Amino acid sequence: MKRALIITCLIATSVSADIVTPTRTLRPGTLITAADLTVRDGVQAGMFEYVSDVVGQEARTALYAGRPIPFEAIGAPAVVSRNQIVPLFFNANGLSIATEGRALERGGVGDRVRVMNLSSRSTLFGFVQEDGSVKVTR
């Protein structure tokens, strides 16, 4: 009787979670849709558990069919692509500067990207805004 009770308690306390995996191999830069995903049972830290968290994101690395998707493997869809001419904005202490730059890497909204100021040819860092511009910080 005690043995059956212990086994029942162990089964009741075991944690089961879902892990989101791709149904096919996804290349970097691919926009992820619900049809690209499936959910399987398992427990693994650092992996997505809900399909809704992954749909609409962009693969940053290759995602292989059947393997769990780690948090760092996906991100917001790119708004700025490499070599694209983008507006640059800098605001500090009442000083506002607006010019154009060339994006030196891809980036989604909120991503920190390197840009080259077309006037001075200096390399700067900034954050991608929703409208595709880059806000330069100190």
Side-chain angles (χ1 to χ4, degrees):
M1 181 71 174
K2 281 185 177 181
R3 187 175 193 186
L5 183 59
I6 291 172
I7 292 172
T8 304
C9 289
L10 288 175
I11 292 171
T13 59
S14 67
V15 178
S16 176
D18 294 332
I19 297 176
V20 178
T21 62
T23 56
R24 63 185 179 94
T25 299
L26 303 173
R27 296 178 134 185
T30 303
L31 193 62
I32 302 169
T33 65
D36 296 324
L37 303 171
T38 188
V39 178
R40 67 180 177 119
D41 288 337
V43 177
Q44 200 165 356
M47 305 296 170
F48 285 97
E49 296 178 5
Y50 303 105
V51 171
S52 60
D53 293 338
V54 180
V55 171
Q57 299 292 316
E58 180 180 86
R60 297 287 169 103
T61 61
L63 303 175
Y64 297 101
R67 293 188 187 172
I69 301 173
F71 294 142
E72 66 276 359
I74 66 172
V79 176
V80 172
S81 57
R82 188 172 186 270
N83 289 326
Q84 179 180 344
I85 304 299
V86 295
L88 300 178
F89 295 102
F90 176 80
N91 295 313
N93 301 329
L95 174 68
S96 295
I97 301 172
T99 188
E100 286 188 331
R102 180 179 304 278
L104 300 177
E105 54 195 5
R106 293 179 52 142
V109 175
D111 286 345
R112 183 176 183 242
V113 294
R114 288 182 314 132
V115 291
M116 181 179 65
N117 182 330
L118 293 179
S119 301
S120 67
R121 302 277 186 217
S122 61
T123 301
L124 309 166
F125 288 94
F127 293 93
V128 177
Q129 305 299 301
E130 290 179 2
D131 62 357
S133 65
V134 176
K135 182 177 180 181
V136 178
T137 58
R138 291 185 183 199

